[in-house]
Amino acid sequence: MRIRHLNCGTMRPFGGRLISGNGSVLGQARIVCHCLLLETDDGLVLVDTGLGTEDVRRPKALNPGIRTFVRPVLDEAETAVRQIERLGYRAEDVRHIVLTHLDFDHAGGLRDFPHAKVHVSATELDAAVRPATMLEKSRYHAPDWAHGPDWVAHEASGERWFGFSAVRDLPGLPSSILVVPLAGHTRGHTGVAVETSEGWLLHAGDAYFNRAQMAPAPSCPPLIGAFQVMLQADRAERLRNVARLNELARGGKVDVFCAHDEVEFDRAAAGTPAG
Ligand SMILES: [Zn+2]
């Protein structure tokens, strides 16, 4: 299986290193949407979609607070479908999408792949289509799934993976791709683990936001730390999972990265073969 790391949506909030840990506090931070493209024997699998072509063409449909403060760059060339086309594939070649959760910056590209089966946790799907709290009612962007995706909802199965519970045997996917429940950021948030010839990697989604949270003495740039608190569905679960991920990352057996850290993305993408 060939694995490519794609940034499917850059965001440029003001706050510099208070957000990303890099650069001046007066500058713009660079936030990426780290997605994976897995080229399997049975077609393409996309892990998270980033922003989609609809977001880029009609940004006014996005939440005004996001446009003002998170400041997505909205470059169509960064969308997953355009990057996949540049690699010589068609949108229909993406047979499966595995989502960490359904926030707009992870599910925005769903509409570009209407033929794909979309694997998501049953809890997350419920949170998005039947939002129960003020936060759930405001965070999800229903147009992302107004086309009626071919959902495949999964539930925790009690299997174990490096001490975490895991969902194996996702229908139609190789056994080297599994889902790891990591609730906290959203009600049904998950990570996605992939076994490669060099070992396991874990896309931790938004279970954490900055590489410093995985360091031996964990810390977090203050503005992105406040943002995590503002968007958390369950504080205790989020903090418990950050601590478990820190332990996993430092154990050295699994390459752990999150969705939005630019340094983690650049390091991973540098190892991606040119397409
Ligand atoms: Zn996100």
Side-chain angles (χ1 to χ4, degrees):
M1 187 197 315
R2 189 174 190 179
I3 297 172
R4 295 177 192 270
H5 296 262
L6 309 178
N7 169 20
C8 300
T10 303
M11 296 175 262
R12 286 290 203 172
F14 286 107
R17 72 165 178 271
L18 301 178
I19 291 178
S20 66
N22 283 338
S24 151
V25 297
L26 299 175
Q28 299 171 27
R30 172 176 165 248
I31 301 283
V32 299
C33 288
H34 192 157
C35 302
L36 301 176
L37 182 67
L38 314 175
E39 302 176 73
T40 77
D41 294 341
D42 285 325
L44 302 179
V45 179
L46 189 57
V47 177
D48 276 356
T49 70
L51 298 178
T53 54
E54 277 294 304
D55 298 316
V56 170
R57 290 175 189 163
R58 276 174 274 282
K60 288 206 166 115
L62 291 172
N63 180 312
I66 286 163
R67 282 187 281 133
T68 306
F69 297 109
V70 183
R71 304 181 73 240
V73 169
L74 303 170
D75 177 2
E76 186 164 334
E78 283 189 339
T79 60
V81 67
R82 296 290 170 258
Q83 295 198 61
I84 286 165
E85 286 165 357
R86 285 202 298 280
L87 291 167
Y89 294 110
R90 296 165 306 147
E92 303 82 65
D93 295 328
V94 175
R95 305 264 313 277
H96 298 268
I97 295 172
V98 188
L99 293 175
T100 60
H101 63 300
L102 283 164
D103 278 346
F104 82 101
D105 51 325
H106 301 258
L110 284 180
R111 289 164 285 183
D112 293 325
F113 304 99
H115 304 92
K117 291 196 181 305
V118 181
H119 302 260
V120 67
S121 96
T123 307
E124 183 67 9
L125 188 55
D126 187 61
V129 300
R130 278 179 290 280
T133 63
M134 286 292 286
L135 178 62
E136 287 178 353
K137 283 175 185 155
S138 62
R139 76 185 309 156
Y140 294 112
H141 187 57
D144 292 341
W145 46 83
H147 61 287
D150 187 0
W151 298 115
V152 186
H154 52 71
E155 306 212 31
S157 59
E159 298 219 31
R160 308 299 290 174
W161 178 82
F162 291 99
F164 289 76
S165 60
V167 184
R168 289 179 191 267
D169 301 323
L170 295 161
L173 290 174
S175 58
S176 51
I177 302 172
L178 55 89
V179 164
V180 179
L182 293 172
H185 177 66
T186 61
R187 214 200 302 171
H189 184 279
T190 63
V192 181
V194 183
E195 188 173 25
T196 75
S197 51
E198 280 112 55
W200 283 96
L201 53 83
L202 177 66
H203 186 312
D206 289 1
Y208 72 99
F209 274 68
N210 188 273
R211 62 201 172 279
Q213 293 173 275
M214 295 297 106
S219 62
C220 187
L223 285 185
I224 204 73
F227 193 68
Q228 287 180 85
V229 170
M230 202 170 84
L231 290 178
Q232 68 196 3
D234 184 329
R235 178 179 176 81
E237 273 293 286
R238 181 178 71 80
L239 293 176
R240 189 176 77 92
N241 281 323
V242 172
R244 295 163 80 212
L245 287 170
N246 179 289
E247 204 175 303
L248 182 70
R250 291 196 296 118
K253 290 192 177 129
V254 179
D255 181 12
V256 180
F257 53 86
C258 67
H260 297 305
D261 186 282
E262 61 172 330
V263 173
E264 289 182 348
F265 174 77
D266 289 343
R267 186 201 65 210
T272 295

